[in-house]
Structures are given as C-alpha cells and as structure tokens.
Amino acid sequence: MDLETCSPVVSHFKWPDYLVCFLMLLVSAAIGVYYGFKRKESSTNEILMGGRKMATFPMAMSLLASFMSAITLLGNPAEMYNYGTQFVMIGVAYFFATAIAAYLFMPVFHRLGLTSAYEYLEMRFSRSVRLFGCITFVIHMVSYMPIVVYAPALALNQVTGIDTFAAVTVIFIVCIFYTSIGGIKAVIWTDTFQVMMMFAGMVAVVIRGNSDVGGFGAVWSATQRSGRAEFFNLDWDPRARQTLWNMVIGGTFLWSSTYSANQAQIQRYLTVPTEKQAINALWINGVGLVVLLLVCCWAGLVMYVKYAACDPLAAGLVKASDQLMPLFVMDTMADYPGVPGLFVAGIFSGALSSVSTGLSALSAITLKDFIGGCFGIQMEDSKAARLSKWISVAYGMLSLGLVFVVAQLGAVLQAALSVHGIVGGPILGVFSLGVFVPWVNSKGAFAGAITGLLFMSWMGGGAQYVTALGQMQFPMKETSVTGCNCTIADHLLSNQTIPEYPDVFPIFAVSYMWYAIIGWLVTVVVAIVVSFATGFSIPKHTDIHLLSPVFVRLMDSLSREWQTSLGWPHKEERNARKQTEMQLLNAQ
C-alpha cells in the first residue's frame, strides 16, 4: 500500500477479477433460465412456493443468504476494527432466535399451508391488521433493497474503481431476470450458490491475511493488547452501544422478528414439505450464521493487526468504515489475480441474494394479500402465475430507480439500515399476540401495531437526527498513525475524547440493539390494554390451529378450574367439536 500521501487509495481490478465477477453473474442468470424452462406447468404454487417440494439444504442456504447481505460482509469486519469483539456475542442470539422460530412460530404457519405470512393476521385478527403488516413489509423491503445494493457498490467503487451505477444496474437486471423467470426455485438455488461465493471470498482473504500478520496467536495477542477483546460487558445502561445484554436479549428479538415474523424468511421454510425439514433447515441456517459471523469478525481483527501502525481512516486513505475491508482485500490479495474478484463476487452475491429475497416475497404479498385478499380479485392460476413474474419485474425496476434517490442521501444511508429494528419489533409483537395471547382482540392488535410502529419511528428517527447533527458519537477503540509515511491532520477521530454516553434526549441515546424489544413491548402492552378496554376475546372462540402448539400444550396442562376461569376450551370439548364437524362433513 502506498502511504507516501494521505489520499484515498484506488487499486483497479485486473481482467481475472472482472472474469470471476462475470462468471458469478452468469451462473446466477443461468440458474434462472434452467428453472424457467424446466418447469412443465406454470402455477402460483410453483413460482411462489416451489411446489412445496424444496430440499432441506438449499432452503437452509437460502435462509442464510437472505439477510446476510453485502452490508454484513463489509460491516462486521469494520465493527471489530472500530469497536472490538462484543458484537460476536450476537451469535448466542442467533441460536435463541432459531429455536423460537423453529418450535414456536413455524409449526403454526406450516400447518396452515400459507403462502403469505400476513394471511395469518387476517385469520387471527382482521383484514386491517393484515393490511398493516403487508404495507409495512412493502415499505420496508422497497426502501431496503436499493440501500443493500448501493452502499457496498459505493464502498467498492471508492477502493477498487468499479463504477457504482454500472455495478448496481447489472446486479438489479440479473436479479430481476432470474427471479421473474425461475421463481422461488431459482431464488433458492442461486442463494445456495451465492452463499458459497460469500464464504469462499471471505475465507480466502482471511487465510492469506492471517498468514501475513503472523497467524492466529499474533492476531489474538494484538487484539488483547488493543483492548478489543471484550465479550462480557455487563453494563445495564440502555445507552451503552453494545453489551452482553443487548447483544443476546436485544439480538434475540431482532433476529426473531426476521425469522418468525417476516415474509421473506417464512416463505422459504414453507417451501419444504414437512415441519421436520423446516426445523432442520432453520438449525443448519443458525449454524451457518454463526460460522459466517466468526469468519467476518476474525477478518476485522486481522485487518486491525495489519493496519495497527497506520489507521487508514485517520490517515484519509479511505473515507468510511465500510471501505476498510475492500482496501484490505486489494492490499492483501492484489498479487493473486482473480482473488480480489472472488471477494467482490461474494459481496455482490450478498446483494443479489437480498434483492431476490425481497422481490420473491413482494410478489407473493402483492398477489395474495393485495390483489386476492384486499381487493378480492380472483383469476385463473396460470394467469396469476404470469402476473407474479411481472410483479417481480415492477418491484425490481422501482427499487433500481430508487437507487438514484438513495445516492443523494449521503450520511442517511447508514441511518436507513436501522429500519430492521424499528419495523421488526412491532411486527413480531403482532405475531406474538396472535400465537400466544388468544385474549387479545383485533382492535387491540391493530392499536398495538400502529402505536408500536409510530413510537419506534419517532425513537429511531430522533436518534438518527441527532447523529446526523454530530450530537451522538460513540468512543471507538484506539488506533495509531505513527507508522504512516504521510502528513496527518491535527484532529483525528481516533484520538478524540468522546463521552461514553451521548448527551442528548435519553430515549434517543438508547442503543439500536434495544429497538426490536422496545417495539415489541410497546405493541404488546398497548394491544392488551386496548383489548381489555374493548372486551377481551374468549379463547374458546379462537381456532386452536392459529395458536402455537407449545402454548396449547401449556394451557392443556393447567387444572380444569384454571382453564375454565381463563376461558380455555377443555380437551374433551375440542375433541367433541371435532367429531361433530367430521360427522357433518361425512353427511354432506
């Protein structure tokens, strides 16, 4: 790396790097063509659900790819570099969230044979609650997809010289193509291929970088000396950016909202024929999440050791933290033709998988919830299947157009990524009320969802506003510029004294890792209060299939007196009702 001047470094790709990226895009497109022509009959069940005959492993890889975006691959290493290893403890939350999704929520959705997760909200509550969930999801995904493509493309442009808008356009066109042509099968199999690309790119870089700086022992020793080795920060102050508590507790709610209350993930584990396969796939995905987390985080520690004597951020060699990893790759692997291309192919694979996930889910939502559910428009299945393809194209083109809007937002890009926590908490709250609290009525659920989303939008929006004004910063781990062979500015971010907690309106200073659980709590509390004020629902009148099997077993274990007082239908009553229904059905 040239350190004679403190100017941004740009190391342009060579032809083998472009070839690797081209081949990745070609394979992704070819998978779409294969499944587009392989399908003998076109139906919504095939396009949106893969005929519910998908295999366990590819579905697990698709779950892994869906929200392990390019931003994750660039952001996790930068997190280690700037703030230390506390973030690694979110891996514990991955396992809790996996168990919650696999055993508490998934059985309900799988047994109902849903296509859209939000169909459940109308079955359990009302059409207005279903509509709230759909609109929230559409806004979330349409705003997220441009960011998840543009942000890494911009970071790569400023380090590798790849044209930002050319990369974004190609990614969207390829993604729209294989998603609309091949349906969910193409999405799942391209996700599987793209996960392999992500792992291959990151592992190749980590192995070489680790070797260059002296191996695992040298990296860990330097990490400890720098104060970055931190796993058990037990601070309960909610303003603390990252602690063991908000990583594990807050992370569990954040990732539960992704796997238990998000159409993009629910749609995937409904494509396998049995609940056992879905459970296995969720656990494979959970293990994969932890492995990818550890690889990315170790990459960040290796990166710190390499630049321990000259912080590229402080020296002005890069402009933002998400450019650190591309700089490290070009600096470490430049003498290995094609390997930088493999890394960038992995980054773009992350972007492709996130966008294809969004397009597939948005197509299902629009067809099932808006056209069929809200407007009541019925059409032949073959016509609906064709329409679903054009819906994917339309959402893809809309998101591509929004990239040019996102490009003007500057610092707001990072702020927009907090939407996961802001939106996820209230949505998880509504689904939790549905499967665990049969006493909550539709008025309560709707009031809770609206209140939760508005409150979290105010809270998260306020936090981003004071951050944009420079009023909220968090202290980063120390870095050095003593080894830089250039003139450094007098005022360095790495040497500034930043208060441990921001001096702003307290609720705006709460860590983003608490957003999901706060949104969940507000939604649940308001829903219960409003349901109490408007008349609780009677559990006897709730279809038992809409409740979590674990909750049903728990209620059945109570004494008969408790069941009666809580309005819970006794097992004998349910069996008698079921026999009556079967007799009526046989008589017809």
mmCIF file with all atom_site columns, all heavy atoms in Angstrom, residues 434-453:
data_model
loop_
_atom_site.group_PDB
_atom_site.id
_atom_site.type_symbol
_atom_site.label_atom_id
_atom_site.label_alt_id
_atom_site.label_comp_id
_atom_site.label_asym_id
_atom_site.label_entity_id
_atom_site.label_seq_id
_atom_site.pdbx_PDB_ins_code
_atom_site.Cartn_x
_atom_site.Cartn_y
_atom_site.Cartn_z
_atom_site.occupancy
_atom_site.B_iso_or_equiv
_atom_site.pdbx_formal_charge
_atom_site.auth_seq_id
_atom_site.auth_comp_id
_atom_site.auth_asym_id
_atom_site.auth_atom_id
_atom_site.pdbx_PDB_model_num
ATOM 1   N N   . GLY A 1 434 ? -50.749 -13.003 18.314 1.00 0.00 ? 434 GLY A N   1
ATOM 2   C CA  . GLY A 1 434 ? -51.592 -13.956 17.600 1.00 0.00 ? 434 GLY A CA  1
ATOM 3   C C   . GLY A 1 434 ? -51.412 -15.378 18.080 1.00 0.00 ? 434 GLY A C   1
ATOM 4   O O   . GLY A 1 434 ? -52.391 -16.086 18.335 1.00 0.00 ? 434 GLY A O   1
ATOM 5   N N   . VAL A 1 435 ? -50.172 -15.816 18.244 1.00 0.00 ? 435 VAL A N   1
ATOM 6   C CA  . VAL A 1 435 ? -49.925 -17.232 18.535 1.00 0.00 ? 435 VAL A CA  1
ATOM 7   C C   . VAL A 1 435 ? -49.885 -17.543 20.034 1.00 0.00 ? 435 VAL A C   1
ATOM 8   O O   . VAL A 1 435 ? -49.998 -18.712 20.425 1.00 0.00 ? 435 VAL A O   1
ATOM 9   C CB  . VAL A 1 435 ? -48.608 -17.717 17.869 1.00 0.00 ? 435 VAL A CB  1
ATOM 10  C CG1 . VAL A 1 435 ? -48.685 -17.581 16.363 1.00 0.00 ? 435 VAL A CG1 1
ATOM 11  C CG2 . VAL A 1 435 ? -47.399 -16.984 18.419 1.00 0.00 ? 435 VAL A CG2 1
ATOM 12  N N   . PHE A 1 436 ? -49.758 -16.493 20.893 1.00 0.00 ? 436 PHE A N   1
ATOM 13  C CA  . PHE A 1 436 ? -49.610 -16.757 22.330 1.00 0.00 ? 436 PHE A CA  1
ATOM 14  C C   . PHE A 1 436 ? -50.663 -16.116 23.221 1.00 0.00 ? 436 PHE A C   1
ATOM 15  O O   . PHE A 1 436 ? -50.772 -16.489 24.389 1.00 0.00 ? 436 PHE A O   1
ATOM 16  C CB  . PHE A 1 436 ? -48.238 -16.279 22.829 1.00 0.00 ? 436 PHE A CB  1
ATOM 17  C CG  . PHE A 1 436 ? -47.084 -16.991 22.210 1.00 0.00 ? 436 PHE A CG  1
ATOM 18  C CD1 . PHE A 1 436 ? -46.161 -16.306 21.435 1.00 0.00 ? 436 PHE A CD1 1
ATOM 19  C CD2 . PHE A 1 436 ? -46.908 -18.355 22.383 1.00 0.00 ? 436 PHE A CD2 1
ATOM 20  C CE1 . PHE A 1 436 ? -45.087 -16.953 20.856 1.00 0.00 ? 436 PHE A CE1 1
ATOM 21  C CE2 . PHE A 1 436 ? -45.833 -19.015 21.808 1.00 0.00 ? 436 PHE A CE2 1
ATOM 22  C CZ  . PHE A 1 436 ? -44.929 -18.311 21.032 1.00 0.00 ? 436 PHE A CZ  1
ATOM 23  N N   . VAL A 1 437 ? -51.411 -15.146 22.715 1.00 0.00 ? 437 VAL A N   1
ATOM 24  C CA  . VAL A 1 437 ? -52.355 -14.426 23.578 1.00 0.00 ? 437 VAL A CA  1
ATOM 25  C C   . VAL A 1 437 ? -53.746 -14.427 22.933 1.00 0.00 ? 437 VAL A C   1
ATOM 26  O O   . VAL A 1 437 ? -54.144 -13.455 22.286 1.00 0.00 ? 437 VAL A O   1
ATOM 27  C CB  . VAL A 1 437 ? -51.886 -12.967 23.836 1.00 0.00 ? 437 VAL A CB  1
ATOM 28  C CG1 . VAL A 1 437 ? -52.710 -12.339 24.959 1.00 0.00 ? 437 VAL A CG1 1
ATOM 29  C CG2 . VAL A 1 437 ? -50.401 -12.907 24.178 1.00 0.00 ? 437 VAL A CG2 1
ATOM 30  N N   . PRO A 1 438 ? -54.503 -15.510 23.100 1.00 0.00 ? 438 PRO A N   1
ATOM 31  C CA  . PRO A 1 438 ? -55.815 -15.605 22.452 1.00 0.00 ? 438 PRO A CA  1
ATOM 32  C C   . PRO A 1 438 ? -56.838 -14.626 23.008 1.00 0.00 ? 438 PRO A C   1
ATOM 33  O O   . PRO A 1 438 ? -57.916 -14.464 22.428 1.00 0.00 ? 438 PRO A O   1
ATOM 34  C CB  . PRO A 1 438 ? -56.230 -17.058 22.715 1.00 0.00 ? 438 PRO A CB  1
ATOM 35  C CG  . PRO A 1 438 ? -55.464 -17.458 23.935 1.00 0.00 ? 438 PRO A CG  1
ATOM 36  C CD  . PRO A 1 438 ? -54.162 -16.731 23.845 1.00 0.00 ? 438 PRO A CD  1
ATOM 37  N N   . TRP A 1 439 ? -56.532 -13.950 24.131 1.00 0.00 ? 439 TRP A N   1
ATOM 38  C CA  . TRP A 1 439 ? -57.467 -12.992 24.717 1.00 0.00 ? 439 TRP A CA  1
ATOM 39  C C   . TRP A 1 439 ? -57.435 -11.632 24.010 1.00 0.00 ? 439 TRP A C   1
ATOM 40  O O   . TRP A 1 439 ? -58.334 -10.840 24.159 1.00 0.00 ? 439 TRP A O   1
ATOM 41  C CB  . TRP A 1 439 ? -57.148 -12.801 26.204 1.00 0.00 ? 439 TRP A CB  1
ATOM 42  C CG  . TRP A 1 439 ? -57.234 -14.080 26.966 1.00 0.00 ? 439 TRP A CG  1
ATOM 43  C CD1 . TRP A 1 439 ? -58.351 -14.639 27.526 1.00 0.00 ? 439 TRP A CD1 1
ATOM 44  C CD2 . TRP A 1 439 ? -56.160 -14.984 27.224 1.00 0.00 ? 439 TRP A CD2 1
ATOM 45  N NE1 . TRP A 1 439 ? -58.037 -15.828 28.132 1.00 0.00 ? 439 TRP A NE1 1
ATOM 46  C CE2 . TRP A 1 439 ? -56.697 -16.076 27.967 1.00 0.00 ? 439 TRP A CE2 1
ATOM 47  C CE3 . TRP A 1 439 ? -54.797 -14.984 26.913 1.00 0.00 ? 439 TRP A CE3 1
ATOM 48  C CZ2 . TRP A 1 439 ? -55.919 -17.146 28.384 1.00 0.00 ? 439 TRP A CZ2 1
ATOM 49  C CZ3 . TRP A 1 439 ? -54.009 -16.059 27.329 1.00 0.00 ? 439 TRP A CZ3 1
ATOM 50  C CH2 . TRP A 1 439 ? -54.569 -17.123 28.061 1.00 0.00 ? 439 TRP A CH2 1
ATOM 51  N N   . VAL A 1 440 ? -56.379 -11.372 23.244 1.00 0.00 ? 440 VAL A N   1
ATOM 52  C CA  . VAL A 1 440 ? -56.262 -10.097 22.526 1.00 0.00 ? 440 VAL A CA  1
ATOM 53  C C   . VAL A 1 440 ? -57.172 -10.104 21.306 1.00 0.00 ? 440 VAL A C   1
ATOM 54  O O   . VAL A 1 440 ? -57.183 -11.061 20.529 1.00 0.00 ? 440 VAL A O   1
ATOM 55  C CB  . VAL A 1 440 ? -54.803 -9.829  22.105 1.00 0.00 ? 440 VAL A CB  1
ATOM 56  C CG1 . VAL A 1 440 ? -54.715 -8.668  21.121 1.00 0.00 ? 440 VAL A CG1 1
ATOM 57  C CG2 . VAL A 1 440 ? -53.955 -9.520  23.337 1.00 0.00 ? 440 VAL A CG2 1
ATOM 58  N N   . ASN A 1 441 ? -57.956 -9.014  21.146 1.00 0.00 ? 441 ASN A N   1
ATOM 59  C CA  . ASN A 1 441 ? -58.865 -8.933  20.013 1.00 0.00 ? 441 ASN A CA  1
ATOM 60  C C   . ASN A 1 441 ? -58.251 -8.129  18.863 1.00 0.00 ? 441 ASN A C   1
ATOM 61  O O   . ASN A 1 441 ? -57.141 -7.605  18.974 1.00 0.00 ? 441 ASN A O   1
ATOM 62  C CB  . ASN A 1 441 ? -60.212 -8.342  20.435 1.00 0.00 ? 441 ASN A CB  1
ATOM 63  C CG  . ASN A 1 441 ? -60.076 -6.939  21.020 1.00 0.00 ? 441 ASN A CG  1
ATOM 64  O OD1 . ASN A 1 441 ? -59.226 -6.152  20.609 1.00 0.00 ? 441 ASN A OD1 1
ATOM 65  N ND2 . ASN A 1 441 ? -60.930 -6.618  21.989 1.00 0.00 ? 441 ASN A ND2 1
ATOM 66  N N   . SER A 1 442 ? -58.970 -8.021  17.768 1.00 0.00 ? 442 SER A N   1
ATOM 67  C CA  . SER A 1 442 ? -58.447 -7.358  16.573 1.00 0.00 ? 442 SER A CA  1
ATOM 68  C C   . SER A 1 442 ? -58.216 -5.865  16.800 1.00 0.00 ? 442 SER A C   1
ATOM 69  O O   . SER A 1 442 ? -57.250 -5.292  16.284 1.00 0.00 ? 442 SER A O   1
ATOM 70  C CB  . SER A 1 442 ? -59.406 -7.569  15.399 1.00 0.00 ? 442 SER A CB  1
ATOM 71  O OG  . SER A 1 442 ? -60.687 -7.032  15.686 1.00 0.00 ? 442 SER A OG  1
ATOM 72  N N   . LYS A 1 443 ? -59.087 -5.216  17.592 1.00 0.00 ? 443 LYS A N   1
ATOM 73  C CA  . LYS A 1 443 ? -58.895 -3.792  17.872 1.00 0.00 ? 443 LYS A CA  1
ATOM 74  C C   . LYS A 1 443 ? -57.602 -3.564  18.654 1.00 0.00 ? 443 LYS A C   1
ATOM 75  O O   . LYS A 1 443 ? -56.845 -2.627  18.373 1.00 0.00 ? 443 LYS A O   1
ATOM 76  C CB  . LYS A 1 443 ? -60.092 -3.244  18.661 1.00 0.00 ? 443 LYS A CB  1
ATOM 77  C CG  . LYS A 1 443 ? -61.391 -3.223  17.886 1.00 0.00 ? 443 LYS A CG  1
ATOM 78  C CD  . LYS A 1 443 ? -62.540 -2.714  18.754 1.00 0.00 ? 443 LYS A CD  1
ATOM 79  C CE  . LYS A 1 443 ? -63.859 -2.736  17.981 1.00 0.00 ? 443 LYS A CE  1
ATOM 80  N NZ  . LYS A 1 443 ? -65.000 -2.294  18.844 1.00 0.00 ? 443 LYS A NZ  1
ATOM 81  N N   . GLY A 1 444 ? -57.365 -4.425  19.625 1.00 0.00 ? 444 GLY A N   1
ATOM 82  C CA  . GLY A 1 444 ? -56.144 -4.312  20.409 1.00 0.00 ? 444 GLY A CA  1
ATOM 83  C C   . GLY A 1 444 ? -54.904 -4.541  19.554 1.00 0.00 ? 444 GLY A C   1
ATOM 84  O O   . GLY A 1 444 ? -53.915 -3.814  19.671 1.00 0.00 ? 444 GLY A O   1
ATOM 85  N N   . ALA A 1 445 ? -54.944 -5.567  18.708 1.00 0.00 ? 445 ALA A N   1
ATOM 86  C CA  . ALA A 1 445 ? -53.793 -5.879  17.861 1.00 0.00 ? 445 ALA A CA  1
ATOM 87  C C   . ALA A 1 445 ? -53.478 -4.730  16.912 1.00 0.00 ? 445 ALA A C   1
ATOM 88  O O   . ALA A 1 445 ? -52.310 -4.361  16.732 1.00 0.00 ? 445 ALA A O   1
ATOM 89  C CB  . ALA A 1 445 ? -54.075 -7.157  17.064 1.00 0.00 ? 445 ALA A CB  1
ATOM 90  N N   . PHE A 1 446 ? -54.512 -4.148  16.314 1.00 0.00 ? 446 PHE A N   1
ATOM 91  C CA  . PHE A 1 446 ? -54.299 -3.045  15.369 1.00 0.00 ? 446 PHE A CA  1
ATOM 92  C C   . PHE A 1 446 ? -53.753 -1.814  16.093 1.00 0.00 ? 446 PHE A C   1
ATOM 93  O O   . PHE A 1 446 ? -52.802 -1.176  15.629 1.00 0.00 ? 446 PHE A O   1
ATOM 94  C CB  . PHE A 1 446 ? -55.611 -2.700  14.660 1.00 0.00 ? 446 PHE A CB  1
ATOM 95  C CG  . PHE A 1 446 ? -55.453 -1.686  13.562 1.00 0.00 ? 446 PHE A CG  1
ATOM 96  C CD1 . PHE A 1 446 ? -54.863 -2.034  12.357 1.00 0.00 ? 446 PHE A CD1 1
ATOM 97  C CD2 . PHE A 1 446 ? -55.878 -0.378  13.739 1.00 0.00 ? 446 PHE A CD2 1
ATOM 98  C CE1 . PHE A 1 446 ? -54.708 -1.101  11.340 1.00 0.00 ? 446 PHE A CE1 1
ATOM 99  C CE2 . PHE A 1 446 ? -55.726 0.567   12.732 1.00 0.00 ? 446 PHE A CE2 1
ATOM 100 C CZ  . PHE A 1 446 ? -55.141 0.198   11.529 1.00 0.00 ? 446 PHE A CZ  1
ATOM 101 N N   . ALA A 1 447 ? -54.352 -1.489  17.239 1.00 0.00 ? 447 ALA A N   1
ATOM 102 C CA  . ALA A 1 447 ? -53.884 -0.328  18.008 1.00 0.00 ? 447 ALA A CA  1
ATOM 103 C C   . ALA A 1 447 ? -52.440 -0.529  18.473 1.00 0.00 ? 447 ALA A C   1
ATOM 104 O O   . ALA A 1 447 ? -51.613 0.398   18.418 1.00 0.00 ? 447 ALA A O   1
ATOM 105 C CB  . ALA A 1 447 ? -54.796 -0.092  19.212 1.00 0.00 ? 447 ALA A CB  1
ATOM 106 N N   . GLY A 1 448 ? -52.107 -1.737  18.926 1.00 0.00 ? 448 GLY A N   1
ATOM 107 C CA  . GLY A 1 448 ? -50.752 -2.019  19.368 1.00 0.00 ? 448 GLY A CA  1
ATOM 108 C C   . GLY A 1 448 ? -49.741 -1.903  18.248 1.00 0.00 ? 448 GLY A C   1
ATOM 109 O O   . GLY A 1 448 ? -48.655 -1.332  18.431 1.00 0.00 ? 448 GLY A O   1
ATOM 110 N N   . ALA A 1 449 ? -50.098 -2.433  17.079 1.00 0.00 ? 449 ALA A N   1
ATOM 111 C CA  . ALA A 1 449 ? -49.175 -2.400  15.944 1.00 0.00 ? 449 ALA A CA  1
ATOM 112 C C   . ALA A 1 449 ? -48.909 -0.967  15.488 1.00 0.00 ? 449 ALA A C   1
ATOM 113 O O   . ALA A 1 449 ? -47.752 -0.580  15.264 1.00 0.00 ? 449 ALA A O   1
ATOM 114 C CB  . ALA A 1 449 ? -49.754 -3.218  14.784 1.00 0.00 ? 449 ALA A CB  1
ATOM 115 N N   . ILE A 1 450 ? -49.957 -0.179  15.361 1.00 0.00 ? 450 ILE A N   1
ATOM 116 C CA  . ILE A 1 450 ? -49.804 1.211   14.930 1.00 0.00 ? 450 ILE A CA  1
ATOM 117 C C   . ILE A 1 450 ? -48.993 2.004   15.954 1.00 0.00 ? 450 ILE A C   1
ATOM 118 O O   . ILE A 1 450 ? -48.067 2.745   15.598 1.00 0.00 ? 450 ILE A O   1
ATOM 119 C CB  . ILE A 1 450 ? -51.181 1.873   14.722 1.00 0.00 ? 450 ILE A CB  1
ATOM 120 C CG1 . ILE A 1 450 ? -51.900 1.250   13.523 1.00 0.00 ? 450 ILE A CG1 1
ATOM 121 C CG2 . ILE A 1 450 ? -51.040 3.379   14.546 1.00 0.00 ? 450 ILE A CG2 1
ATOM 122 C CD1 . ILE A 1 450 ? -51.277 1.563   12.191 1.00 0.00 ? 450 ILE A CD1 1
ATOM 123 N N   . THR A 1 451 ? -49.335 1.850   17.218 1.00 0.00 ? 451 THR A N   1
ATOM 124 C CA  . THR A 1 451 ? -48.621 2.578   18.273 1.00 0.00 ? 451 THR A CA  1
ATOM 125 C C   . THR A 1 451 ? -47.148 2.183   18.325 1.00 0.00 ? 451 THR A C   1
ATOM 126 O O   . THR A 1 451 ? -46.261 3.047   18.431 1.00 0.00 ? 451 THR A O   1
ATOM 127 C CB  . THR A 1 451 ? -49.262 2.320   19.643 1.00 0.00 ? 451 THR A CB  1
ATOM 128 O OG1 . THR A 1 451 ? -50.654 2.636   19.592 1.00 0.00 ? 451 THR A OG1 1
ATOM 129 C CG2 . THR A 1 451 ? -48.596 3.157   20.725 1.00 0.00 ? 451 THR A CG2 1
ATOM 130 N N   . GLY A 1 452 ? -46.891 0.881   18.239 1.00 0.00 ? 452 GLY A N   1
ATOM 131 C CA  . GLY A 1 452 ? -45.511 0.402   18.278 1.00 0.00 ? 452 GLY A CA  1
ATOM 132 C C   . GLY A 1 452 ? -44.679 0.953   17.140 1.00 0.00 ? 452 GLY A C   1
ATOM 133 O O   . GLY A 1 452 ? -43.539 1.403   17.339 1.00 0.00 ? 452 GLY A O   1
ATOM 134 N N   . LEU A 1 453 ? -45.251 0.947   15.930 1.00 0.00 ? 453 LEU A N   1
ATOM 135 C CA  . LEU A 1 453 ? -44.504 1.430   14.769 1.00 0.00 ? 453 LEU A CA  1
ATOM 136 C C   . LEU A 1 453 ? -44.276 2.936   14.840 1.00 0.00 ? 453 LEU A C   1
ATOM 137 O O   . LEU A 1 453 ? -43.175 3.419   14.546 1.00 0.00 ? 453 LEU A O   1
ATOM 138 C CB  . LEU A 1 453 ? -45.253 1.068   13.481 1.00 0.00 ? 453 LEU A CB  1
ATOM 139 C CG  . LEU A 1 453 ? -44.527 1.412   12.179 1.00 0.00 ? 453 LEU A CG  1
ATOM 140 C CD1 . LEU A 1 453 ? -43.197 0.663   12.091 1.00 0.00 ? 453 LEU A CD1 1
ATOM 141 C CD2 . LEU A 1 453 ? -45.399 1.095   10.979 1.00 0.00 ? 453 LEU A CD2 1
#
